[in-house]
Structures are given as C-alpha cells and as structure tokens.
Amino acid sequence: MTISRFFRDREVFDTLEGSVIPDLLRQKDSGEFKVWSVGCASGEEPPGVSLSVLATDIDEAMLMRAKEGRYKKSSVREVPKGREDFFKLGGDQYTLNAAIRETVEFRRHDLLHDDLFPDMDMIFCRNVAFTYFSKETQVKVLHKIFRSLEERVFGDRER
C-alpha cells in the first residue's frame, strides 16, 4: 500500500527550505537547478522548489494520477499554513495549482534497470529504496543515485 502526502515528515522540508536548498542555490552559478524525485508515487513526493523537477515512478497508474494533480484531503493534511493556495478545492478533491504542476516532468522509470538521469543537483529518494528493496539492492541503488548527482555537488570526491 502506498502512503504519500505533501510535506510528510515536515522537519525534513523545513531543513531543506531553511538551509540545504539556499546553500545549494548559492553554489549554483547559473542554469537550471535540477531535482529528481525518485519514486514520486502519485505526485505528492516531488518538491516544488526548483526550476526543473523530474519525478519518476515505475507505476504508470500513479504517474497518471500525478499528472492530473488531483488529491484527496488526506494527501494535503500536512501542507503548512500559507501554502494552502497551492491547491484549489473542488468537491471532495484538491487540485494542485497548474503553474506548479507545469514545473514537474513526470516519467516512468525503473530505478533498478533503467539508465540514470545525469547531472542532478538534488535527488529525493524518500522511501522507495528503503521500504521495498533488500539491503543489497539498497546499496546498489544508492550508488546509482550518487553517480547521478552533478559533480559540483561533491567536487572531486571519489564516487
């Protein structure tokens, strides 16, 4: 069963917004700030902070839901005050603002078998690798994700 909500684990998002993302943006000279959300589920998982957000999942049905941008109340219950305008209530569903939806590209991607997306500035891998994969597979996936990060994030460190 997939459990996915916007701003789930709020402390993580507060830290990202307060220090991690501003620090990364200061280091970025120019161009796009590229974020990859691995295992985006039905769209609640991708962050809305970047110029270019790639959200991938292996489940086509979840990707279709994500592209539609319509969510039940349970998906938006942790949206912080002041961010309610991200959504419009219609009937019993909340629809994500079109301007935000348009910043996210949703694609089907099999993390275990498909090629990587190179030169990412930030990668979110919220639960997919840590919930559904064996320890051995988790290590392989983390190595793949690490290789996808833009070299500028880690400098000349050995990958």
Side-chain angles (χ1 to χ4, degrees), residues 1-4 39-42 44-45 57 59 62 65 132:
M1 177 174 164
T2 300
I3 298 174
S4 188
C40 72
S42 56
E44 294 95 341
E45 297 299 329
D57 203 283
D59 188 328
M62 295 301 265
R65 283 181 53 196
Y132 303 107

Side-chain angles (χ1 to χ4, degrees), residues 9-150:
D9 301 325
R10 178 68 190 276
E11 316 78 53
V12 172
F13 289 96
D14 288 344
T15 300
L16 288 169
E17 182 179 26
S19 63
V20 175
I21 292 172
D23 287 348
L24 286 173
L25 288 173
R26 276 192 291 277
Q27 295 172 29
K28 186 81 175 175
D29 294 335
S30 62
E32 288 181 308
F33 184 76
K34 294 167 50 173
V35 176
W36 176 13
S37 179
V38 180
C40 72
S42 56
E44 294 95 341
E45 297 299 329
V49 298
S50 72
L51 302 172
S52 174
V53 178
L54 172 63
T56 62
D57 203 283
I58 196 167
D59 188 328
E60 291 281 357
M62 295 301 265
L63 287 170
M64 289 305 297
R65 283 181 53 196
K67 289 176 186 178
E68 292 172 1
R70 290 195 306 261
Y71 302 94
K72 295 179 181 177
K73 186 176 184 176
S74 61
S75 288
V76 300
R77 71 177 182 220
E78 294 182 51
V79 172
K81 297 279 186 233
R83 305 249 169 116
E84 298 92 351
D85 61 339
F86 287 3
F87 301 89
K88 183 171 146 185
L89 179 60
D92 64 344
Q93 296 218 324
Y94 290 80
T95 303
L96 186 61
N97 179 311
I100 295 171
R101 276 197 330 262
E102 290 168 5
T103 67
V104 181
E105 176 187 354
F106 292 98
R107 277 196 214 168
R108 186 189 180 284
H109 183 264
D110 183 333
L111 187 57
L112 298 177
H113 302 104
D114 292 343
D115 290 336
L116 302 173
F117 299 98
D119 301 324
M120 291 290 151
D121 293 293
M122 180 177 283
I123 299 175
F124 289 86
C125 185
R126 301 274 293 157
N127 289 315
V128 67
F130 307 106
T131 303
Y132 303 107
F133 298 157
S134 69
K135 293 287 183 200
E136 180 181 323
T137 303
Q138 288 174 1
V139 170
K140 289 178 185 175
V141 165
L142 288 173
H143 281 280
K144 285 179 79 169
I145 289 171
F146 186 73
R147 287 191 310 272
S148 282
L149 290 171
E150 189 172 292

